[in-house]
Amino acid sequence: VVMNHTFNIIGIDPGTNTGIAVYTIDTNFNILNIDTYTILLNNYVNEDNTVLGKDSERYLVLGNLIEELLEKYNPIAIALESAFINKKFMGAGMKVMGYISVILYVIKKFNPNILLCKLAPKSVKKKAGDATANKDKMKELVNETILQYIDIEKESEHSIDAISIGYSLLNLIKSSPYLLKFG
């Protein structure tokens, strides 16, 4: 008798506004549920009620929130979008790389054996069906694919990106199930 277990995988769109999508899947890689979160670091304050000004303060808050998420869902795999750096917005790309570093550190500290993937932004959009998709197009593509699990109108653009990242991870696992170590 083969028991049907469930597992969690997570897609993360890192940044000052971090989107997170937690997929609950079964051993046949069917989606059973999707929980989404958007962490708006600009909404967090210090003990003296001032907005987090330093990147180091934001990194600490993000790290703590990611740690709580890992403890709650105990995922077997996580994918996050890698930083996109262009010359016009070099500073933003560098800031995202900081958030990615914090997230990777917390994940590896939590469980060094979690399957971890960094996905290029265009590859995520390609997996969803259109490598050049803007936010509205991504919303449409995600809508067609997994509408039964989420209310697309209530999702932030960051959680929609995380949903796409999680879906890319799911497809990667489906095509290469040997990547996972069940048990």
Side-chain angles (χ1 to χ4, degrees), residues 128-176:
D130 184 349
T132 60
N134 63 16
K135 298 288 179 205
D136 291 333
K137 182 70 173 164
M138 287 303 287
K139 207 172 185 179
E140 199 178 293
L141 293 166
V142 166
N143 199 1
E144 291 169 13
T145 311
I146 54 180
L147 181 62
Q148 67 226 45
Y149 304 103
I150 56 166
D151 180 350
I152 197 75
E153 294 309 316
K154 290 184 179 168
E155 299 297 335
S156 73
E157 66 180 273
H158 311 289
S159 64
I160 289 170
D161 283 351
I163 290 164
S164 300
I165 294 162
Y167 192 68
S168 293
L169 175 60
L170 179 60
N171 286 324
L172 177 70
I173 291 168
K174 279 182 182 177
S175 66
S176 306

Side-chain angles (χ1 to χ4, degrees), residues 108-121:
K108 284 301 181 184
K109 189 175 136 207
F110 177 78
N111 178 354
N113 298 316
I114 291 176
L115 174 65
L116 193 52
C117 305
K118 284 196 327 190
L119 304 172

